[in-house]
Amino acid sequence: MERGVIPMERYEIIPHTADIGIKAYGKDLKELFANAAYGMFDIIADLDGLKSSITVSIKAQAPNREELLVAWLGELLYHFYTKQIIFFDFEIEELTDTRVKAKASGRSVGENRNRLKTEIKAVTYHELKIEGKKKRFTATVIFDI
Amino acid sequence: MTYEKIDNYRWRIPKSYKSGMRVDGVIYADEKMIEDIRSDKAAEQVANVAFLPGIVKHSFAMPDIHWGYGFPIGGVAATDIEAGGVVSPGGVGFDINCGVRLVRTNLKESDVKAKLKDLVYGLYNNVPAGVGSKGEIRISEAEERKLLVEGSAWVVKKGYGSQVDLDYTEEKGAIKGANPDAVSPRAYERGKNQSGTLGSGNHFMEVQVVDHVYDAETAAVFGLEAGQVTLMIHSGSRGLGYQICDDYSRDMIRCLAKYNISVPDRQLACAPIKSEEAQAYLGAMRCAANYAWANRQCLMFLARRVFEKVFAMGPKDLGMDLIYDVAHNIAKIEKHDIDGKEKLLCVHRKGATRAFAPGHPELPAKYKKTGQPVIIPGDMGRNSYLLTGTKGAQETFFSTCHGAGRLMSRSAAIKAGMGRSIKAELEKKGIVVMASGRETLSEEMPEAYKDVNEVVNVVHEAGISKRVCRMRPLGVIKG
């Protein structure tokens, strides 16, 4: 963190009647993608105090930046369900408007089953938005739960 | 947004509201409900659905309408295949063939009251539920491909039920045209080991008692009378369906440019039904639909086993016959009469139930006179309903509501539940509840939902379905 810069929130929940949405923040797009992913897993499980023990390489592609965000989150969700890993640390190695490459770290669901809160079925394209101003990017994503 | 009142239970969003709407929107609601709908984004979604190429009549919404993604929940839209009509995965939803089944029993409320806790705990311990839960049925991919085509029948063949169960399931538990080759390896992977699992969120298994009968003659055909115990199961296609919708939603965004289609929300992405992409989606969607019917068949089997154990009774004495099983998230190719001409339509029902009128050829012989049973789950503190389809439902392509419909966002419900024990509150009302998710009970608290009694009143008064009986919850298990 730069000195003198007030840390911003990683994300906030936006209420949706049937589902759940987040507004994620970041000083750049890499941080934005990482924070959106953190927000998603914070809905899925209680992440408080968890230390990571597994790291997985994640790659995703899409035709544009917004759809790439959905593809990235979708990729993580797929790994959560099939490899049973709760992710909470994200190191974005490469990010363009159409490709993302990252290392996602987390903890196996196994002994943490009682931390699970909400089943996110999928990441939707509904009201999907990425907006960027200088050093403050926001992304709006709605999840089907 | 401006609404025009058509009558006490119908409201019109004129197509002049938004440039690009091809037809009017029509919402079924009473005066009080329309105010809530106005403050939600759902009505805007009704208008957005009216953009779909080939849409006929109106973009409909049932009284349990609430804000979804793409389509509103409670949305019904049909497109004319010969007129360039489209199918949209967003008009079905991620949980393909999420649906409900209702099972009767020979038990009376007094029989169950004494053993209610044992019964609820028994169900909770024997029915896998919760985020990413796994079932006891483990099958190879080759077997899973068979399951996706054969649906409930596959499960029955394995000994988890009988032929009669299939007769009382929509599409006999297996819709034709399922194409396992259109299902991605990822969807197979996510669906594996999840057969016979309830899922999470609003999915549930509920022991109920019939507390009011509106139409005794019809209720008798379904084997029901006041005071009788029923079992309701609400679940869907689990990870397999979610992944299929995910895969095809992405593909269909590409189709918008390819087929020159303009829609105001990417989640309404669609393709002409005759296109390769739409055919692939429909083939995969039907696989998920069949998976969901198989799943509910497994869940019913597990529940029957628990009842037999808890009451130490055999299947014959328990009389746990399936009344019916309906899908409430699905797209179907159906023939309907449009202005005197029979047309082949793709009917999207997203959070809406098919409701065939008496005499429909697809109904089992026993229900030819009554019309199709329509099962409407409410929240876990109030009521659920059994309705039947009517001739009046012709206006909605024989569709009606599917539940109570959410009123509060999940985060608002969790906030409202802080410092309260929803479990204890329900127990005071005599309802025993078990849930696996930490926040499920708050998210699903009764006041988070519209009153199902009001929702059902609208569809009954509007003449698109008819009340048969009302149930009250005794015990509930949630994911």
Side-chain angles (χ1 to χ4, degrees):
Chain A
M1 184 121 0
E2 292 169 50
R3 282 179 76 148
V5 175
I6 300 162
M8 54 182 160
E9 273 183 285
R10 297 168 96 169
Y11 80 97
E12 61 184 312
I13 297 279
I14 41 176
H16 179 289
T17 325
D19 298 311
I20 199 162
I22 57 166
K23 200 169 234 180
Y25 304 103
K27 65 177 184 306
D28 54 30
L29 284 166
K30 280 185 174 174
E31 193 177 274
L32 184 73
F33 270 55
N35 285 347
Y38 182 85
M40 181 173 79
F41 281 98
D42 206 19
I43 293 169
I44 293 173
D46 175 6
L47 305 179
D48 217 25
L50 272 183
K51 296 266 178 295
S52 65
S53 61
I54 318 163
T55 299
V56 176
S57 285
I58 304 280
K59 279 184 194 165
Q61 288 185 49
N64 57 59
R65 191 190 281 178
E66 288 176 342
E67 287 170 32
L68 182 66
L69 179 64
V70 173
W72 152 247
L73 297 173
E75 196 66 21
L76 288 165
L77 206 52
Y78 162 76
H79 279 85
F80 162 67
Y81 281 114
T82 54
K83 299 204 169 62
Q84 301 273 305
I85 303 165
I86 304 169
F87 296 105
F88 42 85
D89 279 331
F90 307 94
E91 189 196 325
I92 314 282
E93 297 166 327
E94 276 176 52
L95 180 65
T96 69
D97 277 355
T98 57
R99 276 168 52 90
V100 58
K101 189 168 166 264
K103 287 217 159 39
S105 305
R107 196 93 191 176
S108 155
V109 171
E111 71 273 25
N112 296 299
R113 192 157 287 280
N114 63 352
R115 286 177 173 265
L116 296 176
K117 296 188 291 188
T118 306
E119 180 179 68
I120 290 184
K121 291 176 185 156
V123 189
T124 81
Y125 295 96
H126 179 57
E127 301 210 335
L128 171 66
K129 219 169 7 189
I130 294 181
E131 289 163 308
K133 281 182 213 138
K134 227 180 174 184
K135 291 201 171 179
R136 188 169 173 90
F137 286 83
T138 57
T140 309
V141 196
I142 290 171
F143 304 105
D144 181 22
I145 61 174
Chain B
M1 174 170 291
T2 47
Y3 298 93
E4 292 167 5
K5 185 171 178 174
I6 303 170
D7 60 28
N8 285 342
Y9 302 103
R10 290 172 180 82
W11 306 77
R12 181 186 297 116
I13 304 170
K15 70 176 182 187
S16 57
Y17 167 66
K18 216 172 179 178
S19 159
M21 284 174 71
R22 294 166 192 262
V23 293
D24 292 343
V26 170
I27 301 176
Y28 290 79
D30 61 23
E31 294 261 2
K32 189 179 145 226
M33 283 174 182
I34 203 79
E35 285 311 310
D36 285 331
I37 294 165
R38 203 191 287 267
S39 63
D40 202 21
K41 291 192 186 177
E44 193 68 34
Q45 294 188 309
V46 177
N48 291 346
V49 170
F51 279 65
L52 294 179
I55 186 166
V56 293
K57 280 195 184 173
H58 310 299
S59 161
F60 288 103
M62 297 298 132
D64 45 343
I65 176 176
H66 54 270
W67 181 21
Y69 40 85
F71 272 54
I73 314 298
V76 176
T79 58
D80 181 348
I81 297 174
E82 290 307 318
V86 292
V87 63
S88 172
V92 173
F94 287 93
D95 197 356
I96 297 164
N97 190 5
C98 183
V100 267
R101 63 172 52 193
L102 183 66
V103 183
R104 68 173 296 284
T105 73
N106 285 337
L107 301 166
K108 297 286 172 201
E109 187 176 3
S110 53
D111 302 325
V112 168
K113 273 279 173 192
K115 291 188 171 169
L116 186 58
K117 280 205 168 151
D118 290 346
L119 181 61
V120 175
Y121 295 164
L123 291 171
Y124 186 77
N125 289 328
N126 289 282
V127 178
V131 185
S133 47
K134 290 194 167 86
E136 62 175 73
I137 300 157
R138 300 289 157 93
I139 52 175
S140 66
E141 196 177 309
E143 282 287 293
E144 194 172 348
R145 289 170 70 90
K146 274 194 202 159
L147 183 151
L148 298 186
V149 174
E150 296 172 16
S152 292
W154 186 90
V155 182
V156 167
K157 263 201 289 196
K158 295 279 157 190
Y160 296 171
S162 66
Q163 177 64 36
V164 190
D165 297 335
L166 306 182
D167 294 340
Y168 296 106
T169 303
E170 185 172 325
E171 302 289 342
K172 293 190 186 291
I175 191 167
K176 288 188 181 68
N179 176 11
D181 291 334
V183 176
S184 70
R186 286 195 162 194
Y188 278 107
E189 203 180 344
R190 280 184 72 179
K192 214 165 70 182
N193 307 335
Q194 286 199 326
S195 282
T197 66
L198 193 58
S200 181
N202 61 0
H203 291 159
F204 66 80
M205 204 180 263
E206 188 172 290
V207 181
Q208 316 167 322
V209 58
V210 176
D211 82 338
H212 191 86
V213 175
Y214 299 89
D215 176 351
E217 202 183 318
T218 305
V221 175
F222 300 144
L224 293 177
E225 58 182 34
Q228 204 164 343
V229 170
T230 55
L231 174 78
M232 193 178 271
I233 298 169
H234 179 209
S235 187
S237 51
R238 314 287 295 111
L240 180 98
Y242 314 160
Q243 188 66 44
I244 287 172
C245 181
D246 199 44
D247 293 340
Y248 284 96
S249 294
R250 194 175 323 136
D251 286 1
M252 290 217 180
I253 291 177
R254 278 345 110 231
C255 292
L256 294 174
K258 183 174 173 187
Y259 298 105
N260 201 16
I261 297 168
S262 159
V263 285
D265 180 350
R266 261 181 283 206
Q267 200 65 55
L268 283 174
C270 53
I273 289 148
K274 292 188 169 181
S275 69
E276 212 182 297
E277 294 89 346
Q279 287 304 315
Y281 168 68
L282 286 169
M285 182 211 72
R286 290 168 184 143
C287 288
N290 294 344
Y291 182 97
W293 276 310
N295 189 31
R296 290 196 288 275
Q297 180 70 29
C298 285
L299 291 167
M300 179 173 71
F301 170 78
L302 294 173
R304 280 172 173 165
R305 223 164 47 174
V306 171
F307 271 74
E308 285 166 23
K309 207 170 159 202
V310 170
F311 295 98
M313 284 166 83
K316 221 174 176 180
D317 291 332
L318 273 171
M320 291 185 75
D321 301 328
L322 176 59
I323 293 173
Y324 209 61
D325 177 306
V326 290
H328 55 220
N329 278 1
I330 202 159
K332 285 200 175 170
I333 309 299
E334 293 172 352
K335 281 179 191 160
H336 289 276
D337 182 53
I338 305 292
D339 302 325
K341 275 190 207 139
E342 187 178 85
K343 294 208 163 160
L344 199 58
L345 307 178
C346 176
V347 185
H348 299 74
R349 296 188 181 93
K350 182 176 185 188
T353 314
R354 190 190 76 178
F356 281 152
H360 196 282
E362 279 189 38
L363 292 175
K366 200 170 133 192
Y367 298 162
K368 280 269 160 40
K369 273 192 184 156
T370 61
Q372 183 204 305
V374 175
I375 305 155
I376 310 295
D379 63 75
M380 58 189 175
R382 280 175 284 200
N383 297 109
S384 294
Y385 277 86
L386 181 61
L387 317 175
T388 48
T390 59
K391 284 218 156 52
Q394 198 178 358
E395 67 185 64
T396 55
F397 318 105
F398 296 104
S399 311
T400 190
C401 62
H402 87 305
R406 281 194 80 91
L407 199 57
M408 264 189 195
S409 73
R410 292 177 202 256
S411 45
I414 290 171
K415 222 171 175 181
M418 271 181 186
R420 285 166 57 183
S421 166
I422 305 298
K423 194 179 162 91
E425 285 176 26
L426 288 166
E427 223 150 284
K428 262 189 198 156
K429 293 170 82 178
I431 305 164
V432 177
V433 184
M434 301 274 291
S436 71
R438 276 192 185 190
E439 286 167 345
T440 304
L441 288 183
S442 290
E443 282 178 14
E444 294 292 312
M445 65 165 78
E447 67 223 60
Y449 283 87
K450 297 182 195 183
D451 185 348
V452 71
N453 296 291
E454 291 173 11
V455 169
V456 165
N457 186 55
V458 171
V459 294
H460 179 85
E461 293 297 333
I464 58 172
S465 27
K466 190 167 155 264
R467 286 189 203 105
V468 177
C469 55
R470 186 180 72 192
M471 285 78 76
R472 171 167 54 80
L474 296 174
V476 190
I477 67 160
K478 288 250 180 203

